[in-house]
Amino acid sequence: MEDAYARSVSEVLEFFAVDPTKGLTDSQVAEHGRLYGNNVLPQEQSTPFWRLVLKQFDDLLVKILIAAAVVSFFLALANGETGLSAFLEPSVILMILAANAAVGVITETNAEKALEELRAYQADVATVLRNGWFSILPAADLVPGDIVEVSVGCKIPADMRMIEMLTDQLRVDQAILTGESCSVEKELDATNVTNAVYQDKTNILFSGTVVVAGRARAVVIGVGSNTAMGSIRDSMLKTEDEVTPLKKKLDEFGTFLAKVIAGICILVWIVNIGHFRDPAHGGFFRGAIHYFKIAVALAVAAIPEGLPAVVTTCLALGTKRMARLNAIVRSLPSVETLGCTTVICSDKTGTLTTNMMSVSKVSVLQSAYDVPVVAEYSVSGTTYAPEGTLFDNTAEVQLETPANLHCLLHTAMCSALCNESFIQYNPEKRNYEKIGESTEVALRVLAEKIGLPGFDSMPSALNMLSRHERASYCNRYWENQFKKVSVLEFSRDRKMMSVLCNRKQIQIMFSKGAPESILPRCTDIMCNNDGSTIRLTPEIRSEIESKFQSFAGKETLRCLALALKRMPLGQQALSFDDEKDLTFIGLVGMLDPPREEVRSAILACMTAGIRVIVVTGDNKATAESLCQRIGAFDNLDDFEGLSYTASEFEKLPAVQKTVALQRMTIFTRVEPSHKRMLVEALQHQNEVVAMTGDGVNDAPALKKADIGIAMGSGTAVAKSASDMVLADDNFATIVAAVAEGRAIYNNTKQFIRYMISSNIGEVVCIFVAGLLGIPDTLVAVQLLWVNLVTDGLPATAIGFNKQDCDVMKAKPRKVNEAVVTGWLFFRYLVIGVYVGLATIAGFVWWFLYSDNGPKLPYTELVNFDSCPTRATNYSCTVFSDRHPSTVSMTVLVVVEMFNALNNLSENQSLLVIPPWSNLWLLGSIVLTMLLHVLILYVEPLSILFSVAPLSWAEWTVVLYLSFPVIIIDEILKFFSRKSSGFRFNFRFRGVDLLPKSEAHDK
C-alpha cells in the first residue's frame, strides 16, 4: 500500500481486512504471505568466480598482450624452438596479467558486501497480534496487515502505519534513513502533502529505524523489498560502477596503441616484401615468417607490458600513504579519481557536524535591577563527553564554578531530574555514547559541565574520576539528592514534561518543554545573582521572548525552557492542573554542532577549485544556519538561488535545473533517491563527483558517485558501498586525500610518459634496423626483459616523487585531459628517437669499430643476408655473435636509466630537483643495473637472453651513447619553461597520444 500515509487509520485497516483488536487470522497470514511475499531482503546472486576472472581480461590492452604472447609462442614453434625458450616470453606476459587479474577479483568481491550488510538493519523479532493474542515472532514471518506493538529500544521490523498511541508520544530515530539529526515525533493523522518525502510521512514507521521514546501499535504495510530499506537495496543494485578517469585514459591508450601497432607491423612487413626471397631465409615462406617475427618484435616493443602492473603498484603505494592520513582506500582506482574531483556532495549530519546534540547557549535572568536584564552563557564542547566550560558573554569571562550561580545550578538540577536518557562510556570505542533522546542527552551533558556547588576544586576533582564514573557523576548526584515521586510525560498538546521530586521535606516539580508552552505558564522568574524569585513582568517576559526568537530564528537553535514549582508536602501524584504558576529558570539552546576543522577544510576545497554542496535530510533553515556557522560562506549575503529543498528543485524547469546545479550550495529535505539523482545530474554536467556520508540512506549515492567517501563511525552499509573510508570522520581528511590523489596522478603521468618514451625508442630501434637492412638489433626476449624489468622498477619508483608544494592551488584537471599532448608528445618523441638511434649506434659500432668486433665496412653490414652466397674474408657466423645485441641492449637499459632521472619532474631541471630527492628511484636504478649485470655475466641467464659479457671499452661506449639523453631533455625542459614551449604546444595541440573523450560518459 504505497499511499498509506495519506489514508486514515480505518481505511488502512479496511484495505488489509484486519481487526485492530484481534489481528490477522492464520488463514489471512497465509494469504497475505502469498500475495505480498515474506519480510526478508532477497539475497542477490553473487557474480560467479569464473565470471569475475574473465571480466579482468576484458580490456583492449590486455587482449593485445595476450595476442602477442600467443603469436610469439607459435612463431617460436614454427622456428623449431622448444623448451624454455619457446615458452619464456608468453609465460612472463601471462603471469603479469594473472597478477593484475587477482587484484581486480579481490576488489570486485569486496564491493558486493554492501548488499549483504543491509540485512544487519533488519529487526530479528517483533511483538505481533494474531488470532487475538500477542506473541513474539521472527520479524521475517511478518506480512502486510499484521498488527505490531513497538516500544523504546525496538528496531522497527517493517514499514508500518501508526494506528494507536499507547503513550503520550512516540519518537523514532530515523538518522540512518533520512540523515535527520533529531528524532522524529510520530502521529496518527493522515498526511496530505504532495510529493511527500520520508520526513513528511510522520505516521509511518520505517523498517530499520529505532524507537527512542514511547509505545504504540501499527499495521504492517510493506515487507522485504517493498520497504524503505528495500528501495535502498534496489537502488544499489541498479547502480553500475563508474569507470574512473585514469581507467578511461588507459582504455583510450589501448585503442590508440592497437591502431599504431597494427599500422607499424603491416608497414614493416610490406617494406620488406622484397627481402622475402633472400637466400639467407631459405625460401619465400620462411622469409615472410622471419619478417612477421620482426613485426611481432615491434609489437612487443610498442606495448608497455609492465604498464598495468606499474599503475596498480603506484596506486597501492598511494593507498598506504593515504592510510597514514586516516583515509582508508577500498578501491585502488579511486586514489587517482580524487585528483580530478570537482564537486564534493557532503552529508551534513555526522560529516560536517558531530551528530551529537549539544547545548551551546544558556540564557537566564541576571537580575531585574541589572542592565542588561538577561545574561547569556556560551557552552563549549561539541560531543557527549562531559568536557567543556561556560563562558559569560556579557562579562566576557570564563566561569570557574558555574554551579555557584543560582539559575545555572537549578538548570543543572532540572536537566538531570526531568530526564529519561543516559550517558555511558564505551571503552572499546573510547567515546561517550547516548541511550535515549538526543536532546535529553544534551541536557545531561550540560549538567555535567555546570558541575556541583560549594567546591572550589570541583573541576579538577571531577577530572580525577575514571571516564566511566565521570560520564554521569553530577547527574547521579542530583538523582541521589532528590527522590522522584511522580512523572507527567511529554505530550503533543502540552509540549512539556514534568517530574515531582522530594528532598529533605521539600516537594519540587521540575518542568521542561517548548518555550512557547512553558513561558505562558510562568508567573515568576528566578534571579541568577542571588537566587531570589520575582514576578515575571511583561517587560522581563518580552526580554526572554526576544532572546528565544534570537536563539530559534537567527541562530536556528533548538530551544527548551526550564521551570520549577514548590509543591505541597506529601503530594504523591501530578496532574495537568499542577503545571501552572511556574517559576522560570532559564532558556537553553542546542544544536548539532559543526566540526571545528570543517571551516578551514571547505576553504581549502574552494582554493583548489572544488565546490562543496551540503546535502541533508534536515530542514532548509537548519542547513543554511550551519553553513553560516561554519564560516565558509561568509561572503554570501543570502542563499537565494544557492539553497533548494528536494521538492523545490524537482519543480524547476529543465533549464533552471541546469543553472541551479552549477550554483547550488545546499540541498535539503532529501531522501536516498534524491541524493542519487543529484550525483547523476552533476555527472551529466561533466562534473567528477565525490559523495560523503555515513548512513544507510547514503549508500546508493555513495555507490553511484565517482568516489564515495564513508565515515569510519558510519554504518557498515555505507562503508561497503564506498570507495574510501575516513577513519577519523574528519572532513578535513578529504582535503589531504585530494592533495595526495593529485600527487599520485602527477606521478602516474610521469611514469606513463617515461614508459612511452622508452617504448618509442625500442620501436625506432627495430623499425630503423629493418629499413637499413642490418641484422636484428634486439631479439624479442631481450625486449621483454627491458620492458618488464628495466622499465618496470624505475617507473614504479617514480611513483615516490615528492608532492608539489602548490598541488592544491591548481584547479581540478579536466576528465578528458589527455595524459600526453602537444608539446609533451613532441618532447618524448625526440627522446624516444634518440633512444632508438643510440641503441642502433651501439650495434653498428661493434661491427664497424670495436676492437673485439670484425671491423666490417658498412656495406658488408647492410648486405649481411647475402653473405652465404658470396666470397668474404670473414665468417658469416659473425652476424649471429651475441656481443652486438648485448651492446645494443645495454645502451637501451642505461639510456633509460638516465631517462628515468629526467622524469623526477615534468619541467624542472635536475639542478633544481636533484636525483637524491627520490632515493627510491636511485635505488631502483642501482637494482636494475645489478640485474642487468647478472644476466650478462651469469652463464645460464646469458644464454637464455642471448647476451654476452662486455669489456670495459664496450661499457665506456655505452655510457658515451647514453648520457646525452640528459642534455637533450634539459634543453627541452628549458623551452617548456619559456614561451617557445607554449608556441610548440599550440602547434602540436592536435596530436594527442591519449585521445580526448568526446564527453564525460556516465
Side-chain angles (χ1 to χ4, degrees), residues 780-981:
V781 71
Q782 292 172 338
L783 285 169
L784 189 65
W785 170 262
V786 172
N787 281 356
L788 296 183
V789 180
T790 310
D791 287 358
L793 291 175
T796 304
I798 288 171
F800 287 95
N801 285 350
K802 291 183 178 179
Q803 186 182 117
D804 292 339
C805 58
D806 60 348
V807 71
M808 285 300 286
K809 294 179 182 178
K811 301 299 180 186
R813 63 182 175 83
K814 302 291 185 182
V815 290
N816 59 356
E817 174 188 295
V819 177
V820 180
T821 60
W823 166 246
L824 282 175
F825 177 67
F826 174 78
R827 277 177 52 184
Y828 289 97
L829 187 61
V830 170
I831 295 295
V833 168
Y834 178 78
V835 170
L837 294 178
T839 305
I840 291 177
F843 185 85
V844 173
W845 170 86
W846 189 87
F847 277 104
L848 271 60
Y849 304 109
S850 174
D851 292 336
N852 297 328
K855 295 188 177 182
L856 300 176
Y858 179 73
T859 54
E860 289 293 322
L861 180 61
V862 296
N863 291 301
F864 78 98
D865 50 355
S866 62
C867 180
T869 63
R870 39 190 188 84
T872 60
N873 57 0
Y874 59 89
S875 172
C876 292
T877 57
V878 71
F879 296 114
S880 59
D881 195 301
R882 290 182 295 165
H883 276 86
S885 63
T886 304
V887 172
S888 289
M889 182 182 178
T890 305
V891 168
L892 184 59
V893 169
V894 176
V895 78
E896 289 187 6
M897 294 304 97
F898 285 125
N899 191 29
L901 294 177
N902 288 332
N903 284 277
L904 283 167
S905 173
E906 183 177 310
N907 293 317
Q908 290 299 326
S909 168
L910 284 173
L911 299 176
V912 176
I913 301 180
W916 51 87
S917 64
N918 186 344
L919 295 178
W920 288 99
L921 182 57
L922 291 182
S924 70
I925 290 173
V926 171
L927 179 58
T928 299
M929 291 309 301
L930 288 175
L931 290 172
H932 184 67
V933 168
L934 189 68
I935 67 168
L936 293 186
Y937 296 97
V938 176
E939 188 154 312
L941 293 174
S942 63
I943 295 172
L944 182 63
F945 287 98
S946 298
V947 292
L950 296 182
S951 65
W952 178 246
E954 290 166 334
W955 273 107
T956 304
V957 171
V958 166
L959 291 173
Y960 279 140
L961 290 171
S962 303
F963 184 76
V965 76
I966 294 277
I967 299 172
I968 293 171
D969 201 51
E970 284 293 311
I971 295 170
L972 293 171
K973 284 181 177 179
F974 174 78
F975 281 109
S976 290
R977 296 191 296 269
K978 302 300 178 181
S979 58
S980 57

Side-chain angles (χ1 to χ4, degrees), residues 55 108 111 238-244 703-705 721 723:
K55 184 179 177 182
E108 296 255 353
K238 293 175 185 176
T239 301
E240 296 181 1
D241 293 332
E242 297 297 321
V243 179
T244 66
K703 197 165 187 288
K704 178 63 181 172
D723 301 299

Side-chain angles (χ1 to χ4, degrees), residues 399-472:
L399 302 182
E400 296 298 330
T401 52
N404 290 343
L405 297 173
H406 295 275
C407 285
L408 293 181
L409 174 65
H410 285 81
T411 294
M413 290 182 191
C414 187
S415 297
L417 298 169
C418 200
N419 204 312
E420 295 181 341
S421 67
F422 301 95
I423 310 172
Q424 65 181 16
Y425 181 72
N426 187 327
E428 293 182 1
K429 296 182 179 179
R430 296 183 180 180
N431 61 12
Y432 293 87
E433 297 178 338
K434 69 167 185 173
I435 301 175
E437 179 64 43
S438 57
T439 52
E440 292 197 337
V441 174
L443 292 177
R444 289 274 189 197
V445 176
L446 176 64
E448 296 295 331
K449 292 175 181 178
I450 291 174
L452 301 176
F455 301 97
D456 292 338
S457 62
M458 177 52 65
S460 58
L462 288 174
N463 291 335
M464 295 175 66
L465 299 172
S466 70
R467 292 188 174 182
H468 179 74
E469 294 174 313
R470 181 67 187 94
S472 297

